[in-house]
Every structure is written in structure tokens, then in C-alpha cells.
């Protein structure tokens, strides 16, 4: 296949897209040529006003810069296609405190996303940039992302948490056209991790939200804006090095520079096949550290496997099952002799039977749309989303009015404040707009929810409650009432006892919370 813009990769002739990526080679040592001792120390706080910036690259899979056929790789800070705009001044710490008072989680998510891309209006961003081109927002405020993540937090996590090589942390290097992974087995402790870094290796923390409440909070808010899981990786790179080979990704990527500097190159896709790629590969963008400073950035990602094609993968098999059950044309046998004129060995035959066969297939495919269970397929996607999601990081007010803040406890040798505190006049609502989803699994109706998910991706099974058919109206009422609080008495159930039982069940799972904290009994 002809590949476009190959001259853009002239500096990387040692890499071949047709070759498999190098095998991982766990090792306790790094070759001597990679050892570059740094006199300026291991952990630095090198925030520079001119270099703190968010580089919103709209996914490495989505980059399409023009006029690069005869040019060297486009430098992101000089590309003709980039947009340089200033940002807002509100730092993250202050914003999160402000957002904790926002009553609607969807509005909370929208405002956090707008802060991320400020001053670009969100509507303009999705109209002009999303899935179309890279963009850079250069900031002059070194405190803009204060509280999100830092080298000090990285070091704390290594010392206090059970960080495992290959699970939570990768040690990598890239030199002379070859990327290597140097993960030894077992726990990643500061003694060995910082020695790797001091030897010129990059460090990638794969799931910082598992250890950092700030990252968890940001991602759990943003996932509601995307309607898709939001994940993150943190990258710490020594001065003058590069940790990863040129590559593209299958996600939408927001690259936030937290400390130091990094130089990025962004390339056009070599062919139409690489526009919005289905899987990750080895080209399109790369970042290397400048000689005078280390770099720490966090990549916030979303929209993995969230395309029309991914929806159709769930829809078409179900549509075929329905069509074969309801339409006799799909059950009619294939022509007796179809193997004599169809298939690869017969593809060059000039046989009129081939045209008739292909026409019949086209007709069946067109008619298949009327059997497509669109809502059911969307629910399957939604169920995946609920499984992928982080649990909500509750605000202090939400925590105090949820099951986690209920007053039941052990006191002076006995339990106190145990029992039903919810009455018909108690006001309730979902704890988050997207924390629960009602789906039908054949003859069973289930309520999937995220409130008891782990911060570790897919550590536990998906959480769900089986819902009696007579309670589905009540669940839908609560979902559609958000963000309003409603009285328990207004929930449409057959009886007062059913109403209380349902609400208590939802409260115990953390799916709903009360408008006011439940009252404790005096003693």
C-alpha cells in the first residue's frame, strides 16, 4: 500500500511500521550508553512561567496537519495549524472547591472541561477541533494546574503505596530508534525507581487516579462530560531524553504540562487508514525532553472504542438474530452452487451469477436496519461505560448526606442510630446524574451503578441490582428528576412499604443521597 508523507519520518528510518514492536525486556540494568547522571538532582520543581501549558492534541489518533509531504516533522509550537491562545487564571485547587458547591454534576463536568480548554469555547472546540486537528493552549500561569499532580506526589506514592512494576509503573527508554522497557518484577520502591530515572529512563505511572485523590476527582467529573471513561497516565522524563517511540493512539488525548518542558512533534497520517485509527500503533506523534529541564505531564484520555463502528459491533449481531427469527428471507438457503462462483478463488471470474449474489447480499444488509435494536445496543454500550467508570469522588456535602455519612456507629459498647431514618417526607436524588443506568437484559431488568466501583480499572465485577418490573417506573422517575430532590412519597410505587424498601436499597448502595443529612439520635 502506498504511504503518504513518508518524508516526514526521515529522521526515523530505523523504525518500520511493518515490524512488530520490540519485545519487553525486564532488566535491573540499563546499558552504559543510557546512563547520563544529572547534577541538578532527581526530584525538581522546575515550573517555568513560559513553559507551563496545556497541549490539547485531540487524540494522537486524530492528528491531521496539512502540507507536510515535503517537510520535516511539524514542531507543535511552530506549526501553521496550531492555535495559540491564552488561558483563564483560576487554578485547579480553587476551581474544585468552587465546583463542589455546584448542584448539578453535568454542569460541574461542563465547567471543568471548559476550564481545561480555556479560553476556547467548548462549542467551537467540538465543532472545529475535535477529531480534526491538534491544538495547543499556552499558559503564562505556573499555578494553573496546582494540586493536580507533581514530582513530590509521585515520590510520596512510591514511598507510601504498593506500586507494582508493569501494573502501575513502566520504566522505559528510547534511543537509536529502539524503545525498551526495563521493568523488574515486584514493587517499585524509590531506591530503584529514582536510580532508573537518574540513568536516563522515563517513568510512566499508568493509573495515578488509584493513588491520587486530585486526579480521581478530575477524572470522575470529566467522565460525565464525555459519556465515556476518562483515564490518565503520568510521564516523568529526565532532561535531554525520550522515553517512547513515535506512535499514534486510539484515544482522545489532552496533554497537560505540569512541570518543566517538553518538545512535541506531530505528523500527518501516512494514509487514510490511519485517520481516527481503531488500534494504537507506533507513529504520528512523539515527545522529547529539552536538555535544560525535566518534564512531567499528565495525559487525560477518553473516547476509546466509542465510535459508530463500536456501537454497530454490538447492534448488528443482535439485528441478525432478530431478522432470522422474524423474516423468512434471512432463513432461506444459499444457492446450491454458490461455492463454484463466489470466494477469493472466483473473484476474477466474469460470471453473471456473482452480480446477482452480491446484489442479494446488499439487499439483505439494507433491510437489516429495520431489525436493528438501537436502544438495546446503546444500553450495552452504556453498561460498558458503567463498568469502566471511576466511582464518584463525593463532595463534603454529598458525603454527609449519603450512606457513607449516615450516623449509625458503635458507641460505648453498643450500636447507636441504627435503623430506618428515611421517611415519606425525606427528599432524595441520585448522587450523580450518570451514576446509574436502567437496562433490560432479556427478561431481567437491571440497574447498573458506579458508586461502588473501584478506582483500579476493572478490579471488580460490574455492579448491578435486579429491579422488579413494577419498580421500573420509580427508577426512571428518579433518573429523570435529577438534579431536583424529590420526596420519597412522590416516588411511583404500588405501596408505601415498597417505596421505602426501594429507596433504602438505593441509599445503601450509595446510588442516592438525601437533601439533608439523616438525623442522629441523642443519647
Amino acid at each position: 500500500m502506498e504511504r503518504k508523507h513518508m518524508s516526514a519520518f526521515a529522521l526515523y528510518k530505523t523504525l518500520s511500521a511493518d515490524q512488530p514492536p520490540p519485545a519487553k525486556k525486564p532488566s535491573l540494568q540499563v546499558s552504559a550508553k543510557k546512563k547520563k547522571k544529572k547534577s541538578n538532582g532527581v526530584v525538581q520543581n522546575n515550573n517555568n512561567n513560559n513553559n507551563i501549558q496545556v497541549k490539547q492534541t485531540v487524540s494522537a489518533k486524530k492528528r491531521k496537519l496539512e502540507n507536510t509531504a515535503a517537510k520535516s516533522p511539524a514542531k507543535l509550537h511552530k506549526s501553521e495549524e496550531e492555535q495559540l491562545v491564552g488561558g483563564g487564571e483560576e487554578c485547579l485547587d480553587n476551581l474544585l472547591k468552587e465546583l463542589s458547591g455546584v448542584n448539578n454534576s453535568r454542569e460541574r463536568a461542563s465547567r471543568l472541561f471548559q476550564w481545561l480548554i480555556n479560553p476556547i469555547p467548548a462549542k467551537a472546540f467540538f465543532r472545529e477541533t475535535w477529531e480534526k486537528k491538534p491544538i495547543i493552549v499556552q499558559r503564562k500561569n505556573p499555578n494553573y494546574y496546582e494540586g493536580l499532580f507533581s514530582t513530590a506526589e509521585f515520590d510520596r506514592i512510591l514511598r507510601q503505596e504498593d506500586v507494582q512494576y508493569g501494573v502501575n509503573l513502566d520504566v522505559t527508554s528510547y534511543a537509536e530508534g529502539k524503545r525498551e522497557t526495563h521493568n523488574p518484577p515486584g514493587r517499585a520502591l524509590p531506591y530503584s525507581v529514582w536510580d532508573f530515572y537518574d540513568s536516563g529512563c522515563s517513568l510512566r505511572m499508568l493509573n495515578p487516579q488509584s493513588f491520587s485523590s486530585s486526579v480521581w476527582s478530575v477524572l470522575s467529573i470529566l467522565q460525565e462530560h464525555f459519556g465515556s471513561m476518562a483515564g490518565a497516565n503520568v510521564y516523568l522524563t529526565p532532561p535531554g531524553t525520550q522515553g517512547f517511540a513515535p506512535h499514534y493512539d486510539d484515544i482522545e488525548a489532552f496533554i497537560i504540562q505540569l512541570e518543566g518542558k517538553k518538545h512535541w512533534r506531530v505528523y500527518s497520517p501516512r494514509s487514510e487508514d490511519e485517520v481516527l485509527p481503531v488500534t494504537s500503533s507506533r507513529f504520528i506523534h512523539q515527545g522529547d525532553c529539552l536538555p535544560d529541564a525535566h518534564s512531567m505531564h499528565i495525559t487525560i484520555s477518553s473516547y476509546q472504542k466509542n465510535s459508530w463502528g463500536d456501537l454497530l459491533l454490538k447492534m448488528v449481531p443482535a439485528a441478525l438474530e432478530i431478522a432470522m427469527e422474524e423474516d423468512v428471507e434471512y432463513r432461506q438457503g444459499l444457492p446450491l452452487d454458490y461455492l463454484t462462483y463466489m470466494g477469493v478463488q472466483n473473484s476474477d471470474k466474469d460470471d453473471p451469477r456473482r452480480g446477482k449474489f452480491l446484489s442479494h447480499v446488499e439487499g439483505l444488509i439494507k433491510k437489516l436496519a429495520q431489525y436493528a435494536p438501537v436502544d438495546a445496543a446503546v444500553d450495552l454500550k452504556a453498561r460498558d461505560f458503567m463498568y469502566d467508570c471511576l466511582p464518584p469522588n463525593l463532595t463534603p456535602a454529598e458525603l454527609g448526606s449519603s450512606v457513607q455519612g449516615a450516623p449509625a456507629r458503635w458507641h460505648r459498647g453498643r450500636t447507636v442510630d441504627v435503623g430506618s431514618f428515611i421517611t415519606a417526607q425525606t427528599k432524595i436524588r441520585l448522587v450523580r446524574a450518570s451514576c446509574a443506568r436502567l437496562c433490560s437484559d432479556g427478561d431481567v431488568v437491571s440497574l447498573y451503578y458506579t458508586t461502588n466501583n473501584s478506582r483500579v480499572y476493572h478490579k471488580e465485577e460490574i455492579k448491578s441490582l435486579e429491579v422488579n418490573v413494577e419498580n421500573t417506573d420509580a427508577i426512571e422517575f428518579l433518573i429523570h428528576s435529577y438534579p431536583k430532590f424529590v420526596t420519597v412519597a412522590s416516588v411511583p410505587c404500588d405501596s408505601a412499604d415498597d417505596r421505602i424498601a426501594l429507596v433504602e436499597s438505593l441509599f445503601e448502595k450509595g446510588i442516592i443521597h438525601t437533601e439533608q443529612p439523616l438525623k442522629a439520635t441523642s443519647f
Side-chain angles (χ1 to χ4, degrees), residues 53-57 85-88 90 92 95 99 109-120 122 125-126 130 135-139 144-145 148 218-219 222 225-226 252-258 298-301:
Q53 53 193 323
V54 56
K55 299 172 181 175
Q56 200 308 95
T57 54
V85 288
E90 187 173 23
L92 178 62
L95 178 67
L99 291 181
S110 178
R111 288 177 59 176
L112 180 59
F113 179 75
Q114 182 58 69
W115 173 87
L116 182 67
I117 62 170
N118 266 346
I120 305 165
F125 171 80
F126 285 108
W130 183 258
I135 195 169
I136 178 172
V137 180
Q138 196 167 48
R139 307 201 184 281
Y144 196 81
Y145 304 109
L148 181 55
V218 167
L219 297 183
L222 286 178
H225 186 74
F226 292 120
E252 299 295 336
F254 297 80
I255 301 172
I256 301 174
Q257 190 73 27
L258 298 174
I298 186 170
T299 296
I300 294 177
S301 62

Side-chain angles (χ1 to χ4, degrees), residues 310-497:
D310 292 302
L311 177 63
L312 289 172
L313 283 172
K314 296 185 179 296
M315 190 185 304
V316 172
L320 277 171
E321 289 187 13
I322 296 170
M324 292 180 70
E325 182 177 330
E326 298 185 5
D327 191 331
V328 67
E329 189 174 7
Y330 290 88
R331 302 196 299 269
Q332 290 172 343
L334 291 162
L336 290 175
D337 58 348
Y338 83 103
L339 293 177
T340 66
Y341 57 86
M342 296 304 300
V344 173
Q345 71 180 34
N346 301 311
S347 59
D348 293 329
K349 277 189 174 182
D350 185 14
D351 191 320
R353 293 175 297 175
R354 286 183 57 81
K356 184 178 179 180
F357 188 96
L358 293 172
S359 178
H360 190 70
V361 170
E362 182 180 354
L364 290 173
I365 291 174
K366 287 182 178 179
K367 191 164 64 167
L368 191 63
Q370 64 186 273
Y371 300 105
V374 180
D375 285 327
V378 168
D379 279 347
L380 288 175
K381 285 288 295 173
R383 188 173 64 182
D384 289 346
F385 172 49
M386 304 302 284
Y387 187 28
D388 294 343
C389 271
L390 286 164
N393 188 359
L394 301 182
T395 67
E398 291 167 341
L399 192 65
S401 59
S402 72
V403 67
Q404 297 182 50
R409 64 196 184 282
W410 181 267
H411 181 75
R412 295 180 179 177
R414 64 186 180 92
T415 58
V416 296
D417 299 327
V418 177
S420 176
F421 297 89
I422 296 175
T423 70
Q425 300 310 311
T426 304
K427 289 190 173 181
I428 59 171
R429 72 167 185 179
L430 296 183
V431 74
R432 288 284 191 277
S434 300
C435 73
R437 178 86 183 194
L438 197 63
C439 299
S440 175
D441 302 318
D443 297 330
V444 177
V445 178
S446 297
L447 182 67
Y448 293 90
Y449 58 98
T450 66
T451 52
N452 288 338
N453 281 8
S454 172
R455 288 162 63 178
V456 178
Y457 180 70
H458 287 188
K459 182 180 180 181
E460 300 172 4
E461 294 299 316
I462 189 170
K463 304 295 190 297
S464 66
L465 289 171
E466 186 173 332
V467 179
N468 294 332
V469 175
E470 56 267 25
N471 285 333
T472 56
D473 287 346
I475 300 293
E476 289 181 0
F477 171 76
L478 289 171
I479 290 173
H480 297 149
S481 294
Y482 187 89
K484 293 193 305 181
F485 284 91
V486 297
T487 63
V488 172
S490 67
V491 177
C493 288
D494 291 340
S495 69
D497 288 343

Side-chain angles (χ1 to χ4, degrees), residues 273-287:
D273 294 338
E274 292 181 350
V275 177
L276 309 185
V278 175
T279 58
S280 298
S281 187
R282 300 179 63 198
F283 279 99
I284 298 305
H285 71 276
Q286 61 178 318

